[in-house]
Amino acid sequence: MKHSTPNSLQAKDVRSHLHPFTNLAQLEETGPLVFNRGEGIYVYDDDGKRYIEGLSGLWCASLGFGEKRLVAAATRQLEALPFYHNFAGKAVEPSIELADYLIEHAPVPMSKVFFTNSGSEANDTQVKLVWYYNNILGRPQKKKIIARRGGYHGITVASGSLTGLQHAHNGFDLPIAGILHTDCPHHYHHARDGESEREFSARLAANLERLIEQEGPDTIGGFIAEPFLGAGGVIEPPEGYFEAIMPILERHDILFIVDEVISGFFRTGDRFGTQTYGLKPDMISVAKALSAAYQPIGGVMVSEKVYQVLLEGSRRYGTFGTGFTYSGHPVPAAVALETQRIYDDLKIGDHVKAVTPRFQSRLHAFADHPLIGETRGLGLIGAVELVEDKAARRNFDPARKVAPRLMALAADHGLIVRALPNDAVAFCPPLIIETAQIDDMFDRFGRALDDLTQEMARA
Ligand SMILES: Cc1ncc(COP(=O)(O)O)c(C=O)c1O
């Protein structure tokens, strides 16, 4: 174990670094896996071992790990103006240009962009905007926000409350009051016997409306959803789901917030998941592939309907009193703008659509494997779910940590994938991946699955 060598990076890490989303006790035993170089779809650890980054880091490094144009864009901006802010009527060119680009390319008409440093901050801001909007409209009761079980929206106090995953709540006293969760839209696990996707969608929509009526429609301000669930398991909405949900939101004058933090910027082949599923959001959150993850930046887009109320707020309160020191920081904004230009130059949406059939057919080929209960995905994202009993769709006891074990075996084969709840294992490679690399990725995964199968047969 490297971390038992004093002054190794691993030893220093265990000594000094409190890691995000990590089992701290386990880390003390194993030490970290340290990465120090990247190129294309590959990253290298400090032993020089090469891995295919099958999850684009955290669903974000859409252009891989060696895009020189982004390095140049950051360098140019650092040399010209390394920092200036956007408070109190000041502005910097990259944030102006980026906002303009995003509004021009928004999936439905949008009016303004507010910049944050992350997806969590974007969704945190969405919560504040729902509250503010309804205060200005004289509806101080209309503040609750409905999210979904299985949804992931970040980890701040508000966005962590929107997240519908137990591991983001345990021990943190989340969710806070005023955040409600409705059904997880996963047909495979939650449909009744013989229930079609459309029937399942109709039942979930009826449950949502019942929840709204029980709470009182005049108390519900917003509904937030990812176009497909990401960290909750890569779960597409069942057929007819959003068509059934959206009229309910409209009927009760509830703002629809679409969290595009994973789905945004061509993951599905379309620029936004909003387009893929024909959504009609009032507000949209973006982050991650906005800047290909080369710099931290996120944002909130608001429609004209919402903006007009915010404007009214300034007539009442003066200052629109929210913003981060680094909202629209010029360096991440310049990198995000260059990222968008690269997507356009590469026609990245066309590329994603061209390689998607190969990605999806290789993914779905695992459906026949005795350990795999469901394969699912769209565009360049997907997951396989491991089950103990295929007929009963029953997962393994979580204590057996089957998916984390598969993730470790994949790493042995030079592939990084991600274990998710319910023993799902996710794939979300950089959008620049080529067909031969897709084959290589799934070949490596197949070898890891063979290893797991043998291990389990021996156990
Ligand atoms: C859909 C979604 N929303 C929000 C977030 C939070 O973003 P961040 O980690 O940048 O705060 C994530 C992160 O994975 C996400 O997947």
Side-chain angles (χ1 to χ4, degrees):
M1 289 290 176
K2 284 184 177 175
H3 68 288
S4 48
T5 309
N7 286 328
S8 65
L9 272 179
Q10 283 75 4
K12 284 188 199 170
D13 184 77
V14 170
R15 192 159 69 229
S16 309
H17 184 188
L18 183 58
H19 279 247
F21 269 119
T22 295
N23 181 321
L24 304 179
Q26 194 180 324
L27 187 78
E28 295 225 340
E29 300 293 314
T30 61
L33 179 56
V34 178
F35 293 92
N36 58 16
R37 199 160 71 78
E39 186 182 38
I41 66 162
Y42 304 101
V43 290
Y44 295 78
D45 70 18
D46 62 348
D47 286 329
K49 178 170 172 174
R50 190 175 81 156
Y51 303 78
I52 294 178
E53 225 319 341
L55 205 90
S56 303
L58 292 172
W59 331 83
C60 52
S62 49
L63 293 173
F65 299 87
E67 180 46 74
K68 299 282 187 288
R69 280 178 63 180
L70 296 181
V71 178
T75 307
R76 273 196 308 275
Q77 187 57 44
L78 281 164
E79 283 171 349
L81 183 65
F83 171 72
Y84 208 73
H85 65 84
N86 295 273
F87 278 32
K90 302 195 172 54
V92 292
E93 185 180 337
S95 62
I96 299 170
E97 294 290 357
L98 179 62
D100 202 50
Y101 182 98
L102 291 172
I103 293 303
E104 192 181 325
H105 294 86
V108 293
M110 284 280 147
S111 178
K112 303 283 181 292
V113 186
F114 174 89
F115 289 113
T116 67
N117 303 292
S118 68
S120 294
E121 287 180 358
N123 289 326
D124 201 279
T125 300
Q126 299 282 24
V127 172
K128 290 180 74 181
L129 292 184
V130 170
W131 294 347
Y132 192 85
Y133 175 88
N134 283 300
N135 281 333
I136 298 302
L137 288 179
R139 311 189 296 198
Q141 302 303 317
K142 202 167 170 64
K143 298 285 173 55
K144 293 176 198 163
I145 300 181
I146 302 178
R148 289 148 346 137
R149 287 188 278 280
Y152 186 84
H153 301 291
I155 48 70
T156 62
V157 171
S159 66
S161 295
L162 297 173
T163 291
L165 295 167
Q166 202 55 48
H167 65 269
H169 294 166
N170 287 338
F172 286 116
D173 289 355
L174 298 180
I176 53 171
I179 306 285
L180 310 171
H181 291 93
T182 189
D183 302 286
C184 174
H186 193 185
H187 184 268
Y188 177 75
H189 280 302
H190 303 300
R192 292 177 178 151
D193 277 352
E195 193 175 39
S196 72
E197 288 199 22
R198 285 207 167 262
E199 289 161 346
F200 178 58
S201 293
R203 179 161 63 84
L204 266 45
N207 286 349
L208 174 66
E209 189 145 35
R210 195 169 315 116
L211 175 65
I212 292 167
E213 275 160 4
Q214 275 164 3
E215 297 285 326
D218 56 340
T219 72
I220 310 291
F223 174 80
I224 186 166
E226 300 155 85
F228 53 82
L229 298 178
V234 187
I235 296 159
E236 271 206 89
E239 228 179 289
Y241 177 79
F242 284 113
E243 288 100 300
I245 298 268
M246 287 190 294
I248 297 172
L249 304 179
E250 217 162 293
R251 196 151 52 241
H252 299 292
D253 198 6
I254 292 169
L255 292 170
F256 184 20
I257 306 161
V258 172
D259 183 346
E260 292 264 15
V261 168
I262 287 183
S263 52
F265 309 106
F266 302 103
R267 182 51 62 187
T268 66
D270 300 319
R271 194 181 292 268
F272 290 98
T274 290
Q275 291 149 325
T276 309
Y277 297 111
L279 308 183
K280 296 193 189 78
D282 298 295
M283 302 138 99
I284 296 175
S285 296
V286 292
K288 295 193 189 276
L290 170 60
S291 63
Y294 280 45
Q295 288 280 291
I297 182 168
V300 164
M301 290 194 251
V302 297
S303 65
E304 185 63 16
K305 169 177 111 174
V306 173
Y307 175 66
Q308 281 303 321
V309 177
L310 304 183
L311 195 58
E312 186 54 34
S314 262
R315 295 194 184 106
R316 181 179 309 174
Y317 295 122
T319 297
F320 175 58
T322 194
F324 304 99
T325 297
Y326 302 139
S327 284
H329 188 297
V331 180
V335 169
L337 189 60
E338 187 70 357
T339 300
Q340 303 306 312
R341 291 182 177 137
I342 295 171
Y343 292 152
D344 288 340
D345 292 348
L346 294 179
K347 297 191 170 46
I348 198 80
D350 292 347
H351 172 74
V352 170
K353 284 181 178 157
V355 299
T356 284
R358 187 76 186 171
F359 177 88
Q360 292 295 334
S361 74
R362 289 296 313 259
L363 177 76
H364 288 299
F366 290 107
D368 294 335
H369 192 280
L371 289 176
I372 305 284
E374 190 185 38
T375 57
R376 52 189 187 245
L378 78 164
L380 278 181
I381 188 164
V384 301
E385 184 170 321
L386 298 157
V387 288
E388 182 159 31
D389 182 335
K390 263 178 111 125
R393 303 185 171 186
R394 194 181 67 244
N395 291 114
F396 290 95
D397 178 352
R400 291 180 66 181
K401 295 190 185 320
V402 176
R405 180 66 195 140
L406 180 55
M407 188 168 90
L409 291 166
D412 291 345
H413 288 283
L415 170 64
I416 297 176
V417 286
R418 176 91 179 273
L420 301 176
N422 284 344
D423 279 334
V425 175
F427 300 84
C428 179
L431 301 177
I432 54 170
I433 196 167
E434 297 290 349
T435 305
Q437 294 172 323
I438 288 173
D439 283 337
D440 189 12
M441 178 173 76
F442 285 115
D443 288 347
R444 286 166 198 250
F445 183 70
R447 291 196 284 277
L449 197 55
D450 288 345
D451 292 351
L452 180 71
T453 311
Q454 281 168 23
E455 271 188 23
M456 293 182 79
R458 281 196 299 270

